[in-house]
Amino acid sequence: MDKQPHRFAGPPGQEDMPYLLTPGPLTTSRGVKAAMLADWGSRDVEFRRLVSDIRKGLLGLAGCNDSYECVIMQGSGTFAIEAALGAFCPKAGTRTLVVANGAYGDRAAAILSHLGRPVVTIDKGDSAAPSADEVGAALDADASISHVWIVHCETTSGIVNPIEEIAREAKARGKFCMVDAMSSFGAIALNMGAGMDVMVSSSNKCIEGVPGFSYVLARRDMLQASRGMSHSVVLDLHEQWKGLETNGQFRFTPPTHALAAFHQAMKEHAAEGGVPARGARYRRNARILIEGMRGMGFSTLLPDDQAGPIIQTFLTPRDMNFHFETFYEELRRRGFAIYPGKLTKRPSFRIGTIGKVDETVMMNVLSAIKEVLANMKVTDLAPIEA
């Protein structure tokens, strides 16, 4: 009989399940899990207060003044992205510039094309950051651009883009700046007062909630002007906002348990020390993981000055004994679920460093990786040539 691999203890409250080392869904705390044990009436006064607390708290985390609103949307982050693009991006006359350096920028451009909204892109591939000067030059060269869409942390590679500098270039030219902060918000500082008009994120990322809803923070005057712009009934951001403002209720059944879990996650986020402390823990996780992987012989896709603390991309070893599917399954048997696949053009794999995980978890996953590589008889960790 084959010897079973050493199994590290799983997260508190789910010891028989793996740590989720992905960019979301991710490992959550026992308190967040426990918050979902109660049932909520979607129209009850207690639940409406909870939703109001979430909306106010998110605006505070983003540095918004009283000219901004928070609109919660049922569904994953892409639901809110499409809702925001459909609400604010012009149907004709002017165009939206999507600054893309990975799959999620590409997805925004694809949504706009599908909606028939005029769109133009800056394509930086999947491992280079756009500069503010590049965006400024593109805006100067094309007077038809009225809106700019940029991803904060592009989880295709883990790269962090200079959104504040890009926002300044956009605002200096009178353009609207819209930010996808899906996998960064709550851990990487973001101040919407620095020139960002719209920001989109979701419940199951750095606040450490569970999947079920996403949200859009936007200037109130933009929301007011978006009436009738949406292509959809369900994704109509203006009507969702008006419903929440009128009676605190969702137009359609909300994910009550996910919202209750997120409310608890926000309390835990504040208790940890907010964005600075959450980001510091993730940076420690990333440093331990990267140093340990490089110590074994792995190479990272990104240089240290571009890699953020959210997810780390490692180049696939050229050793003929390395098979990612085996590597993935063996790590999962040992208690760690990494991201099951690649999005970059170069052969690579990704390991997330966010969620309710710490240095101990990172050290344990490094030990598990060493064990799996030894069992696979992988010795040459130099990357496959580009």
Side-chain angles (χ1 to χ4, degrees):
M1 182 180 294
D2 291 340
K3 182 181 178 181
Q4 290 296 310
H6 176 63
R7 178 74 157 79
F8 293 107
Q14 56 177 55
E15 284 77 6
D16 58 341
M17 296 296 289
Y19 284 95
L20 300 181
L21 302 182
T22 73
L26 38 69
T27 295
T28 58
S29 72
R30 188 185 295 270
V32 167
K33 295 177 182 69
M36 294 186 286
L37 295 177
D39 298 318
W40 296 77
S42 62
R43 300 185 186 279
D44 289 349
V45 63
E46 293 86 356
F47 181 72
R48 284 183 279 144
R49 289 196 189 106
L50 181 148
V51 171
S52 178
D53 284 348
I54 290 173
R55 294 177 68 201
K56 291 175 184 174
L58 290 172
L59 289 167
L61 277 178
C64 296
N65 59 32
D66 60 7
S67 68
Y68 288 83
E69 296 283 0
C70 173
V71 186
I72 300 174
M73 299 294 296
Q74 296 95 325
S76 70
T78 304
F79 283 58
I81 288 173
E82 184 166 325
L85 293 171
F88 303 125
C89 294
K91 296 180 178 180
T94 60
R95 301 197 287 178
T96 299
L97 171 65
V98 173
V99 184
N101 60 339
Y104 297 94
D106 292 343
R107 182 181 296 177
I111 290 171
L112 286 168
S113 295
H114 187 78
L115 299 182
R117 307 292 175 95
V119 59
V120 61
T121 63
I122 293 176
D123 186 353
K124 295 293 293 182
D126 60 15
S127 57
S131 71
D133 288 342
E134 285 178 289
V135 175
L139 296 176
D140 289 339
D142 188 346
S144 72
I145 296 170
S146 58
H147 294 63
V148 176
W149 180 273
I150 177 72
V151 178
H152 191 188
C153 177
E154 174 54 81
T155 51
T156 296
S157 64
I159 197 166
V160 176
N161 292 319
I163 57 166
E164 291 195 359
E165 293 88 340
I166 288 171
R168 281 196 292 269
E169 293 295 323
K171 299 313 290 183
R173 294 162 174 80
K175 314 298 183 183
F176 295 100
C177 183
M178 306 168 67
V179 176
D180 171 351
M182 202 64 60
S183 58
S184 62
F185 185 61
I188 302 177
L190 180 149
N191 179 8
M192 291 191 69
M196 291 165 238
D197 302 297
V198 177
M199 188 276 284
V200 183
S201 192
S202 73
S203 59
N204 59 299
K205 303 293 185 178
C206 297
I207 307 296
E208 296 183 3
V210 302
F213 70 91
S214 45
Y215 45 90
V216 179
L217 309 187
R219 280 178 23 206
R220 186 180 302 108
D221 60 339
M222 291 179 68
L223 279 167
Q224 291 168 335
S226 71
R227 182 178 181 180
M229 278 286 290
S230 181
H231 57 290
S232 167
V233 172
V234 174
L235 298 179
D236 191 326
L237 200 64
H238 178 273
E239 293 306 303
Q240 187 85 339
W241 170 58
K242 293 304 294 182
L244 289 168
E245 287 293 290
T246 300
N247 53 26
Q249 297 178 13
F250 287 75
R251 294 178 299 152
F252 313 108
T253 303
T256 53
H257 294 76
L259 284 155
F262 192 77
H263 192 247
Q264 173 63 25
M266 290 185 73
K267 293 178 182 178
E268 295 181 11
H269 184 272
E272 185 175 355
V275 174
R278 184 63 53 90
R281 173 159 59 85
Y282 291 172
R283 286 191 296 275
R284 289 193 298 272
N285 291 345
R287 183 182 67 251
I288 289 168
L289 180 67
I290 290 170
E291 289 177 356
M293 293 291 278
R294 286 176 176 164
M296 290 183 224
F298 283 99
S299 298
T300 54
L301 175 70
L302 300 174
D304 290 344
D305 62 347
Q306 291 188 342
I310 307 303
I311 192 165
Q312 313 309 318
T313 301
F314 299 98
L315 297 176
T316 300
R318 67 188 178 189
D319 193 305
M320 296 298 290
N321 290 326
F322 185 88
H323 302 286
F324 178 76
E325 292 75 14
T326 302
F327 181 70
Y328 172 84
E329 291 297 338
E330 289 300 311
L331 281 180
R332 197 181 188 287
R333 289 174 66 196
R334 289 161 172 80
F336 305 100
I338 67 172
Y339 202 90
K342 78 174 186 70
L343 291 174
T344 57
K345 293 180 176 65
R346 290 193 69 180
S348 64
F349 61 92
R350 298 181 290 167
I351 302 178
T353 46
I354 64 175
K356 194 65 176 177
V357 296
D358 58 15
E359 297 101 312
T360 299
V361 176
M362 293 297 109
M363 294 300 294
N364 286 345
V365 74
L366 288 169
S367 295
I369 288 170
K370 289 178 183 176
E371 184 177 294
V372 170
L373 293 175
N375 289 348
M376 293 173 67
K377 296 181 171 53
V378 174
T379 58
D380 185 359
L381 296 176
I384 297 171
E385 295 299 325

